[in-house]
Amino acid sequence: MNILYLGQSGKASTSYHRAKALERIGHTVTIANPYEILDDLGNLISKLHYKTGYRFLQKKVQNWINTSIPKNDIDLVWINSGELFGLKNIKLLKTKFKKPILLYNNDDPTGGRDGNRFNMLLTAIPEYDMCVVMRELNVDEYYKKGAKKVIRVFMSYDEIEHAPLPKSSIEEKFKSEVSFIGTNIPGDNRDKFLLTLIEKGIPISIWGARWERSQYWLQLKPFFRGNSLKGKDYIAAIQGSKICIGLLSKGNRDLHTTRTFEIPFVGSLFCAERTSEHTDLFKENEEAVFWTNAEECAEKCRNLLNNEELINKISENGRTKIIQTKRGNEDVVRHILNSIN
């Protein structure tokens, strides 16, 4: 197929990873990045558009569609995220290309965590030929918004971007006993969770954004190793950690995240909140380790750190499981394309 892919084009973005996965399974992909519209506006104006749900950006999006998207012979328009495209602009794309339009969104637009961010997307749902969501509860919510067809898939790792590095190449600065790699999200109490691990004596290493905003920053700071990681640094920090903690976004109603698959594929032990989806995906204590609260997490980590052979075994089993159950981008995008008709 010839696919017009409208999404982030930065090489560290999961959007770009999916586009490249489509190429790897044999399709021709033309990437056009609508977010370049925001790049020209500056940070403050971009934040205002986020807060107002991109309602006042629609004219610029219309101009971008008319002037910046190549009028190639295509078979499908794949829109990643879709927050910038309101109803009129999806109709414009249909008029321009006269081909099916697919929405892939791995956030939770019907969940309300992000305020007005997805207002334009929600108005456009009835115009998409198929919507791809990550949460079972999104399916019915999208249909109630007028969706024609909705399929649910799990998030995924990327076969190339998340491939393990040669062990000899991992620098000492990325090695750790237990790690958490992620953003400090207000309201999710991630900082309190990690502080509890510290108080229980767990040697945690923290990478990510906004941790200096935590009310517990003075206590967390000695365990902070750096800001957000990308590319090979991200892989090295996962691979260099014996145990990787997986925390969920409660506001996004997560029962799994991309880390659910990235961490085992890279090769570390996945240690995450016990949810119905996590326990369906992995055999507990054989392919991954789960907990209900910080105290149980600390106990699990302490016991595992005294048994490196078990850590390695669970890590290997977890990686084997997600490969066998086809949780990589290539299998996921193939399933999506097979579901269009």
Side-chain angles (χ1 to χ4, degrees), residues 34-94:
Y35 295 91
E36 67 188 16
I37 301 169
L38 295 174
D39 294 340
D40 294 335
L41 298 178
N43 193 44
L44 179 59
I45 301 299
S46 294
K47 286 182 177 179
L48 286 173
H49 281 302
Y50 180 102
K51 293 288 187 181
T52 55
Y54 303 102
R55 180 179 304 276
F56 305 108
L57 193 70
Q58 293 307 296
K59 186 65 176 178
K60 287 186 179 293
V61 174
Q62 178 184 324
N63 292 338
W64 180 82
I65 290 171
N66 286 326
T67 61
S68 298
I69 298 179
K71 184 65 171 69
N72 296 341
D73 182 19
I74 64 164
D75 302 302
L76 173 70
V77 179
W78 179 307
I79 296 181
N80 189 86
S81 186
E83 65 207 281
L84 303 188
F85 297 93
L87 178 65
K88 289 183 179 179
N89 282 317
I90 297 300
K91 287 183 175 181
L92 175 60
L93 285 167
K94 281 198 163 184

Side-chain angles (χ1 to χ4, degrees), residues 239-250:
Q239 197 173 346
S241 180
K242 295 177 182 177
I243 301 170
C244 285
I245 304 295
L247 299 179
L248 304 174
S249 169
K250 301 301 187 295

